[in-house]
Each structure stands twice: as structure tokens, then as C-alpha cells.
Amino acid sequence: MGYFKTNPDEKGNFGEYGGSFIPPDLQIEMEKITDAYFSISKSHDFITELRSIRKHFQGRPTPVYYAKSLSEKYGGRIYLKREDLNHTGAHKLNHCMGEALLAKYLGKKKLIAETGAGQHGVALATAAAYFGLECEIHMGEVDIVKEHPNVVRMKILGANVIPVSFGLKTLKEAVDSAFGAYMEDPINSIYCIGSVVGPHPFPMMVRDFQRVVGIEAKEQFHEMTGEQPDNLVACVGGGSNAMGLFSAYIEDECEIYGVEPAGRSLNLGDHAATMTLGKPGMIHGFKCYTLQDEKGEPAPVYSIASGLDYPGVGPEHSMLKDMGRVNYVTADDKETLDSFFELSRLEGIIPALESAHATAFACKLAQQKPKQSILVNLSGRGDKDIDFVMDHYGKEYGIL
Ligand SMILES: *Cc1c(COP(=O)(O)O)cnc(C)c1O
């Protein structure tokens, strides 16, 4: 367990990444959350309540499934950790329930967050409804139009969706707006970030709440096969579902792969392959690999999966890349779509487009390593993506 004692260090650094580079008044709040996290989240009551929520509300443990048809087609043995079966259809609820439970212990009344595609907003609105807390979700006006069904879901769940109308009116501005709202009332509200990103303690806290994925999977995989997996694969946007799975095996032998979106092409603006093509920099108050334009500003990013298009990445992933512990690879839009349809038709599982990046790479890996096992984190289900896929690719794939 040596790894978790020192990563992050007490200042929130993962090697040369992470930390906290924010205005002093915000820093004070982050330190309060850090202290509360260390004292409250390790208490017996907190752990017992979170366990009960995971079991009875979220439906955990989610299964590990042997993808027989996919394995027969590509060689290798491909297993899927079914986070698509977690309540609300993705892994995100794992950290939202943790963050909201912490908020309850702290006596907070309101949860505040940003959302891009709306997945984090829906998960947090769900957590707020569960705990009877207010919920305010900041979202760019462009995304509000694009992600209409998720906006409706948030509203049905009782959340207040705040349109953000400055700048590019997308995720980055939504983060700025949400932080601003949080600073207006840090006593009664708490900021709940959507991935293993942001200033300390968020990358650590979100990872710790997601560790349940890896802890369950390790036990389940061993029970099914009597072994450890030879390879792990997960998609990486900010990197929370990947850290959830990887954390259980960091100190073991297996090969680990994080899959980034190569989008339409590897030209700047056409992808979000932050670690594959970016360089160390600063974004939203922490250090990590970033994609930057000529001026050193966060570059425009694109992915067919809106949950993956962020020009930064978790600091822990940045460190694991430099250490050589995790291999960061890519899958492009076409490979992702092929895998989206293939998983649907061969296994009866419609994956999220984010997760289809991971399965696309896993199938290639299976061809290269036909004797080995591969455990993939299937981070979410694809219901949210079906209209988009039909509208844009229905003809190509023979549905329309
Ligand atoms: C948000 C999302 C992701 C990307 O977020 P990470 O923090 O990188 O895990 C991946 N898969 C699904 C289904 C998502 O909703």
C-alpha cells in the first residue's frame, strides 16, 4: 500500500503534477474540504453509510462479464467491468454519492458543479435528490442545446440548470462560472468536481471514491478465473473511471492501458489526446499534461464522445505516464463507432461512446496478445448517444 501513502503527497502533488494554484480565499476552502475529507471519510459511520448506498441505491457490486463472442472473434480473453449497470448508467455516480455524503456530514445545503455533456450533472442531481440537498449545475449554452435530454433529466431530478453565456459557452466557461458561484457562498455550498482533476484534494478524493470499481473487479476477476488479469484497459477523459480500475493493480504486474480520443485526426482541434500529444502545463488550478495552442492557452479539443473532450487530464495519470507505469494510447472516431456497433451486436451491450474507445483498443490488443486476458472498464451505457449516432452515422452503419 506504499503507493497510496505517498500519492498524492500532503500538498496534493503526484510527482511534479497536481497541487493547487488558486486564489487564497479559494485555497482556504480547499484546505477545509481536505481536512474534512481526511477526518470524516475514514470514520466508521461514513464508510458504513456509503457501503449501504452503494449496495441498495446504486446496485453495486456491478458484475464482471466475460465477453465470449468478442473474445472468439479477436483472440485473447476480454472481460468487461459493467459500470454501465451502475445506477444512472455510468461510473460517475460513484464519486458523486461520495462527494454528496461528505457535503451532508459538513452540513452543506447546496451542491454546485459544472457539466459538459450533462453526465456529471445528472449524476450529481441524482445524489442531491437522494440526500435532499439543493443542486446547481452550470452548463454552457452550446452544450444545453446539444445535450437536451440530459438537461431535462437534471430538471426532473430537481436541479437548477444555470446557462453560461460567455466565451465559447462550453465546458471551460461552465467550470469558471461554477467556481464563481461556489465562491459566493462557500459556507452553505460545496463544489463537486466531475473527474480526477482540479486543485487538491479533488484528484485524490474522486480517485478514492472510484476505487470501489477496481477493488470489486479484482475480487470478481480472481473468483472467475483464479488469476489476475494480464492487461487492463480504460478510456481517459479526466481519468476517473480509469483511476478507479487501475488503482487496484498499480502495485501489481499487469500491463495497463489508458485510451485517449484521437478524434477526426491528430491535427490540433480534431482530437483530445492530451497525454499522447500534449505537454506539461497548467489548467484549472493544477499541473498536468495539457493541449495548448501557440499562445499557451488551452487548445480547442474534439471527440465524438463529449465525456472525453478536455484539454487537460488528471495529475495522477500525468505522473503514471512519466513513470512508465501506464501506457497511453488512442482510438479514433471510426474505430470507436465500429466498436460501439460491434459490442451492441455481438454481446447485446450498447456502450457509451466514451467506453467504446476502450473496447476498440482492447480488441486490437487481443489480436496482438491472443493468449492473454484483458479486463476493460466499460464505464457507461450508450443510451445517451443513440440519437446522435443515428443522426450522424445511421446511414453508414445500415440502420436508416
Ligand atoms: C464522463 C465519462 C467518461 C470520462 O470521464 P473520466 O473521468 O475520464 O472517467 C467516461 N465514460 C463515461 C460513460 C462518462 O460518462
Side-chain angles (χ1 to χ4, degrees):
M1 296 312 269
Y3 177 87
F4 294 100
K5 281 222 159 66
T6 47
N7 291 296
D9 68 15
E10 67 281 5
K11 294 233 159 62
N13 299 301
F14 292 90
E16 61 184 281
Y17 303 101
S20 184
F21 302 86
I22 50 179
D25 42 349
L26 196 53
Q27 183 59 31
I28 292 170
E29 294 309 317
M30 290 301 128
E31 280 163 20
K32 281 189 207 155
I33 295 176
T34 307
D35 291 346
Y37 175 69
F38 279 120
S39 54
I40 296 169
S41 77
K42 314 291 173 194
S43 74
H44 179 263
D45 285 358
F46 186 96
I47 292 169
T48 306
E49 189 168 355
L50 191 57
R51 258 194 208 139
S52 168
I53 289 168
R54 284 171 173 169
K55 181 170 176 193
H56 301 288
F57 182 63
Q58 293 179 230
R60 304 201 69 88
T62 58
V64 166
Y65 166 70
Y66 174 57
K68 185 161 173 285
S69 306
L70 216 56
S71 301
E72 276 168 6
K73 177 164 179 188
Y74 289 99
R77 284 167 286 134
I78 302 173
Y79 294 80
L80 307 175
K81 174 62 172 165
R82 298 288 307 276
E83 287 305 291
D84 59 314
L85 296 176
N86 194 32
H87 181 40
T88 71
H91 70 288
K92 284 200 175 72
L93 196 64
N94 299 332
H95 62 250
C96 286
M97 293 309 286
E99 288 175 314
L101 182 60
L102 186 67
K104 189 190 98 167
Y105 271 72
L106 287 170
K108 305 285 183 185
K109 305 210 163 30
K110 193 200 273 185
L111 309 180
I112 299 178
E114 81 295 339
T115 195
Q119 293 303 107
H120 176 54
V122 169
L124 195 65
T126 302
Y130 178 95
F131 288 108
L133 298 167
E134 284 174 54
C135 185
E136 189 176 294
I137 303 294
H138 294 246
M139 190 169 186
E141 282 182 343
V142 169
D143 290 330
I144 287 183
V145 175
K146 211 165 125 192
E147 311 291 347
H148 180 69
N150 275 341
V151 176
V152 175
R153 286 168 87 193
M154 285 184 263
K155 288 184 175 169
I156 290 174
L157 289 160
N160 188 8
V161 179
I162 311 276
V164 178
S165 56
F166 57 90
L168 295 175
K169 305 174 192 176
T170 58
L171 182 61
K172 192 192 159 294
E173 292 79 22
V175 174
D176 296 339
S177 171
F179 257 114
Y182 167 57
M183 282 316 294
E184 279 171 27
D185 188 9
I187 305 291
N188 293 307
S189 61
I190 186 167
Y191 191 85
C192 296
I193 221 154
S195 189
V196 285
V197 297
H200 183 61
F202 287 112
M204 166 188 72
M205 207 160 78
V206 172
R207 173 199 69 191
D208 290 353
F209 288 136
Q210 286 295 346
R211 279 175 71 180
V212 65
V213 174
I215 290 167
E216 284 176 9
K218 192 169 191 173
E219 195 181 311
Q220 293 164 318
F221 188 91
H222 191 262
E223 200 175 280
M224 288 170 88
T225 65
E227 309 166 355
Q228 297 292 346
D230 299 309
N231 304 276
L232 303 179
V233 177
C235 65
V236 177
S240 64
N241 88 88
M243 275 325 305
L245 180 66
F246 298 172
S247 56
Y249 295 95
I250 281 285
E251 295 176 295
D252 296 356
E253 295 267 291
C254 60
E255 284 286 319
I256 308 183
Y257 299 88
V259 187
E260 299 192 296
R264 290 183 289 245
S265 83
L266 293 181
N267 297 327
L268 199 65
D270 275 356
H271 65 84
T274 310
M275 276 188 291
T276 310
L277 295 165
K279 57 181 188 194
M282 180 94 76
I283 189 170
H284 289 132
F286 70 105
K287 280 192 204 155
C288 63
Y289 273 85
T290 56
L291 285 169
Q292 300 172 0
D293 62 17
E294 323 75 71
K295 291 194 213 105
E297 295 291 315
V301 279
Y302 159 83
S303 165
I304 192 171
S306 24
L308 301 181
D309 58 1
Y310 184 58
V313 66
E316 192 166 6
H317 285 288
S318 303
M319 177 188 76
L320 291 167
K321 173 186 161 74
D322 288 1
M323 284 167 62
R325 179 64 192 97
V326 177
N327 308 291
Y328 292 91
V329 296
T330 60
D332 65 23
D333 283 2
K334 174 80 172 59
E335 293 167 322
T336 298
L337 278 167
D338 288 348
S339 196
F340 173 90
F341 280 103
E342 190 165 73
L343 200 67
S344 301
R345 289 168 186 191
L346 287 184
E347 300 289 353
I349 299 170
I350 303 178
L353 285 171
E354 289 81 2
S355 321
H357 284 76
T359 53
F361 176 78
C363 290
K364 278 203 285 193
L365 192 66
Q367 286 177 313
Q368 291 162 20
K369 301 181 173 184
K371 295 207 162 53
Q372 296 192 3
S373 59
I374 304 174
L375 176 57
V376 183
N377 195 2
L378 197 78
S379 56
R381 66 176 182 226
D383 303 42
K384 68 184 179 60
D385 297 315
I386 57 176
D387 289 342
F388 173 82
V389 169
M390 275 308 94
D391 290 351
H392 292 83
Y393 305 97
K395 225 182 196 141
E396 205 179 317
Y397 286 85
I399 315 281
L400 291 178

